[in-house]
Amino acid sequence: MSGFELLSDQGLRLDGRKSGELRRIQTRLGVFGQADGSAYIEQGNTKVLAAVYGPHHMRDTRLRPNQEKVVVNCQYSMAVFSTGERKRRPRGDKKSLEMSQHLKQTFEATIKTELYPRSQIDIFVEVLQADGGNYCACVNAATLALIDAGIPLKDYVTACTASLVLDTPLVDISSLEATTGGPELTLAAHPKSGQIVLLEMSHRFHIDHLPKVIDVALEGCKNIYTILDKAVRRHVSNTGASVGWEKS
């Protein structure tokens, strides 16, 4: 499939979105009662569940030498039914380990780790349905789960993908666009400060094109932050109303 088919003459993509338009995002917080914090997110047809446990005492004694900051443990997995082809190993394969490491790096740069010495925070994310942007949906879901758990963050961290078709940057890439289009850029950032936490590219971009693709991905992160922040405020308001908080 060529770039001409990915972007119509009217500037619309295969799913009817404009080049700078995000897929529809739906969220829920506090979906898993046994966890300290949890969240569910849908970004288009990509669906992710995140659960957070902790802070708690370190279970692995080998990690105890680093006592100044909390240990962030992340585990990424995909449900066996998350794609059209059944996965034999929902976790533990090379891709899952790589994604777990990326999530660990992202949240070590976001959580106020110095507040919890000699402690550990566990973040579990599972992709229930995969349709592009799996890492991004996991970051966004885990951010909500951490907020639900009451863990202090330096800032929200949100993630978004971007690509380039016919010199036009596209934001929030679907699975079909990722497999049939050009190179894909994945970016996680602190939206208030604009600090980039993680940047990865599936292939090289031309140096002339890279800045505008990064700008589009950053703008996507900021728009996702607006959506997540509204969801958090709505959740807090509903929770407060259910326990009888008085309005100020």
Side-chain angles (χ1 to χ4, degrees):
M1 188 177 290
S2 69
F4 291 95
E5 293 170 313
L6 287 174
L7 201 61
S8 71
D9 294 336
Q10 292 76 32
L12 298 178
R13 295 151 73 173
L14 293 172
D15 54 9
R17 287 184 291 152
K18 297 177 181 178
S19 60
E21 187 177 349
L22 297 170
R23 291 176 291 177
R24 184 183 181 190
I25 297 177
Q26 299 183 82
T27 64
R28 279 185 287 161
L29 282 77
V31 296
F32 191 45
Q34 291 89 334
D36 293 306
S38 60
Y40 170 80
I41 195 167
E42 293 184 9
Q43 288 190 227
N45 291 323
T46 298
K47 303 175 182 179
V48 172
L49 180 66
V52 170
Y53 298 86
H56 55 74
H57 291 296
M58 294 183 192
R59 297 194 180 103
D60 191 341
T61 55
R62 293 172 300 177
L63 301 175
R64 288 191 181 278
N66 181 18
Q67 298 181 349
E68 300 303 319
K69 297 181 179 181
V70 70
V71 172
V72 180
N73 172 50
C74 295
Q75 182 173 300
Y76 168 93
S77 62
M78 295 182 68
V80 294
F81 50 80
S82 60
T83 62
E85 298 179 359
R86 291 269 173 164
K87 290 177 64 68
R88 293 183 178 180
R89 298 181 65 187
R91 62 179 62 86
D93 60 316
K94 183 179 178 181
K95 182 65 175 177
S96 295
L97 293 174
E98 180 183 324
M99 293 286 270
S100 297
Q101 186 61 30
H102 286 169
L103 290 167
K104 178 181 173 67
Q105 293 171 1
T106 300
F107 287 104
E108 281 180 340
T110 303
I111 296 170
K112 293 187 175 182
T113 53
E114 70 280 1
L115 298 181
Y116 302 105
R118 299 178 295 278
S119 301
Q120 179 173 330
I121 295 172
D122 298 315
I123 302 172
F124 298 91
V125 292
E126 181 160 29
V127 178
L128 304 178
Q129 186 170 315
D131 187 35
N134 292 357
Y135 163 80
C136 299
C138 288
V139 167
N140 299 333
T143 296
L144 292 177
L146 286 165
I147 292 171
D148 186 46
I151 294 175
L153 307 177
K154 298 173 184 175
D155 189 1
Y156 279 69
V157 59
T158 54
C160 190
T161 54
S163 186
L164 192 72
V165 173
L166 302 177
D167 292 335
T168 301
L170 306 181
V171 70
D172 195 12
I173 308 305
S174 68
S175 179
L176 182 59
E177 290 172 331
T179 54
T180 59
E184 182 180 359
L185 179 142
T186 302
L187 185 147
H190 293 160
K192 291 181 181 178
S193 65
Q195 179 186 357
I196 295 175
V197 177
L198 184 137
L199 180 76
E200 185 184 38
M201 293 179 286
S202 61
H203 300 89
R204 292 181 181 177
F205 283 89
H206 192 281
I207 190 65
D208 294 338
H209 297 148
L210 185 58
K212 62 182 179 182
V213 177
I214 291 177
D215 287 344
V216 164
L218 267 174
E219 186 64 26
C221 288
K222 292 176 181 178
N223 291 335
I224 291 170
Y225 157 71
T226 301
I227 294 170
L228 300 191
D229 188 54
K230 287 181 180 178
V232 169
R233 293 176 185 276
R234 184 170 60 248
H235 175 70
V236 171
S237 176
N238 292 340
T239 302
S242 67
V243 297
W245 290 352
E246 293 183 2
K247 294 183 178 180
S248 57

